[in-house]
Amino acid sequence: MNDAHLHMVVNHFPIIGTIFGFGILIIGLLLKNKTLLNTSYVLFIVAAIFGAFSMGTGEGAEELVEDMPNIGKQIIHEHEELAEKLAILLYVLAGLSLVGLYLNFKNNAKAKLLSFLILGIATAGLFLAQKVGTSGGEIRHTEIRANASTLNSVGTEKSTAIEEGKEDND
């Protein structure tokens, strides 16, 4: 198993964990349920841990795919920049979640205020997670890129030229 494979294995949980954590946090706030709030905090912490693993495997994955056709260094660089921002946000979210867990266990009055702060940061995390996920998907899935029709027509032209060249040689 190489870094690209490892990256593919771990890179989804920071996104999914943030989404689930956000949803559970909202429900916990609406129901005023500390168990749900704590569950969301744990999800944010785990998402940050997987974010660190994703960052750790990203460089190796980049080295393996950056010279492949239709990929290039620019699209990987954009993904890397967004991923770094998301990772920092997840680390902050995890740190605040640890504090939130502590305050909930101590029944501290500031726990509710902190949960709303975490909600705000998690909202920003959702936005960044979507951007990171899309930019990561665009690396290998050219069909979801903004210029997909251009890439497809160029690919079709190349395929047609290759097929015509083969027919002429037969």
Side-chain angles (χ1 to χ4, degrees), residues 72-135:
K73 295 178 181 172
Q74 181 58 35
I75 195 163
I76 294 173
H77 179 72
E78 289 174 24
H79 174 65
E80 184 178 9
E81 292 296 313
L82 288 167
E84 287 171 353
K85 290 174 184 159
L86 177 62
I88 291 167
L89 189 137
L90 289 176
Y91 303 151
V92 169
L93 194 57
L96 291 173
S97 292
L98 283 169
V99 174
L101 284 169
Y102 177 78
L103 292 179
N104 276 342
F105 287 127
K106 293 292 185 178
N107 291 317
N108 190 299
K110 294 183 182 179
K112 186 174 183 179
L113 179 63
L114 182 62
S115 64
F116 283 105
L117 176 63
I118 290 171
L119 178 65
I121 294 171
T123 302
L126 286 179
F127 174 78
L128 265 176
Q130 184 276 326
K131 297 287 185 194
V132 170
T134 299
S135 67

Side-chain angles (χ1 to χ4, degrees), residues 24-63:
I24 293 169
L25 180 61
I26 294 272
I27 294 168
L29 286 168
L30 290 173
L31 298 177
K32 298 177 182 169
N33 184 315
K34 284 186 182 181
T35 302
L36 289 175
L37 293 175
N38 290 340
T39 301
S40 71
Y41 297 160
V42 169
L43 279 170
F44 292 140
I45 292 165
V46 173
I49 291 167
F50 274 88
F53 288 147
S54 292
M55 293 302 293
T57 58
E59 193 66 37
E62 176 183 7
E63 296 300 320

